[in-house]
Amino acid sequence: MKRNQYIVGLIVLVFFVISFLTNIIGPLVPDVIQSFNLSLTLAGFLPFAFFIAYGVMSIPSGILVEHWGERKVMIAAFSLSALGAFLFALIPTFLMYVCSLFLIGSGMAMLQVAINPLLRVAGGEEHFAFNSVLAQLFFGLASFLSPLVFSYLVTYHADGSTSSLASIIHRFVPEGMKWISLYWVFAVVSLLMVLVMVLINLPFVVRKEDEKVGALSVHLSLLKNPMVRWYFLGVFMYVGTEQGVANWISKFLQTYHGVDPQTVGATTVAMFWGMMTAGTALGLALLKFIDSRKVIIAFSFGAIACLALALFGSKQITLVAFPMVGFFVSVMWSIIISLALNSVTTHHGSLSGILVTGIAGGGIVPLIVGSIGDAIGLRGGMVFLFLTLAYILSIGFWAKPLVDNKLMGK
């Protein structure tokens, strides 16, 4: 039992690191645009390069886990992440940055596939729901902290001291590009996680028959089911919405309200992720009393209203409304996934692989926003997100799960 709790703690740490490396692109966008003289469309290729890796790697990662086991896949994943971060830190060009983000994204996709079954075995099935929520809370905490770490690194001034972490890292980055410091941090963190994975012993995961990744024929048969395709699109739209907001907050505030992206912009992005964490906790409580379809309808309307206030309100309103969008989208991921899994009777492992592939929406939607933004302005580009939220809203009306979420008193 002691060893199991140790492994659960390790997995929670992995969730933290995944989030720390994943949800930082948004605060960096204004600096990246300035450093490489990019259009909004080219800036949109940054989240595209990262999240398209999920579309490419999710199903192959499931196959690798079954052949190699979780430990080897996690070592390979963090090695890819370290390689990507080191390459860009050493060769800070736009093309290398795109390649780096794809490598890091591939590593994160591999980790996402590996750790959930491991969490079930290490903590015990009876504690899986609690441990999953605990992991998601730490995931949210890391998303909140990483923009603040970025802000510290880029605004730090030595004032005669040369022994601080920031001062040491700044020696290895080009003049005027302090934001690249963050990738030295990512490289070191990833290497440390490789070392941890090499040194520890993980429990053997025996997958239930329904958790196994099926053959290609199983995936194709599932994709023939219209409901599977609709839920895949739901995941695609959700992650696209989340990243479409988070990745453009800082640039939007700089463009329309003259906000410093390295301080107030980064803090607003941090608050977006912080409010997502708070919303997750409230959403979990609501799901004990209200049908999940009603929750996703109510929260979708809330997200649409807050996005409208963020895009068309004053500076003061926008600074509050963007984080509140995070609050209202917080429950969407878990509800969409649970509705999807509860809508089919077999092959849940293969279905999970298909659904996780929808995370590629986090790359494609921000790219669409940037492309529209180049044509009619970033505000006009972000209006596209009302369409993705409208689709998520529709799920609450057409979803017909075979099993409803368990309510208190029933």
Side-chain angles (χ1 to χ4, degrees), residues 53 74 81 128 196 238 248:
M74 292 170 77
S81 174
F128 184 47
V196 169
Y238 164 71
W248 291 113

Side-chain angles (χ1 to χ4, degrees), residues 238-256:
Y238 164 71
V239 184
T241 301
E242 174 196 282
Q243 295 299 320
V245 175
N247 280 291
W248 291 113
I249 287 176
S250 193
K251 184 61 180 175
F252 182 93
L253 290 172
Q254 182 189 42
T255 302
Y256 295 103

Side-chain angles (χ1 to χ4, degrees), residues 376-387:
I376 62 174
L378 183 55
R379 178 180 279 126
M382 294 187 74
V383 166
F384 177 79
L385 298 173
F386 288 115
L387 295 178

Side-chain angles (χ1 to χ4, degrees), residues 16 21 41 46 61 71 82 84 86 101 139 171 176 220-221 286 309 331 340 346 370 380 382 396 399-400 410:
F16 183 93
L21 301 181
T41 302
L46 302 177
S61 295
R71 183 166 171 266
F86 270 124
L101 288 172
F139 190 93
R171 300 174 195 169
L220 292 176
S221 67
L286 288 175
L309 290 172
V331 300
T346 58
M382 294 187 74
K400 291 180 171 52
K410 289 190 177 182

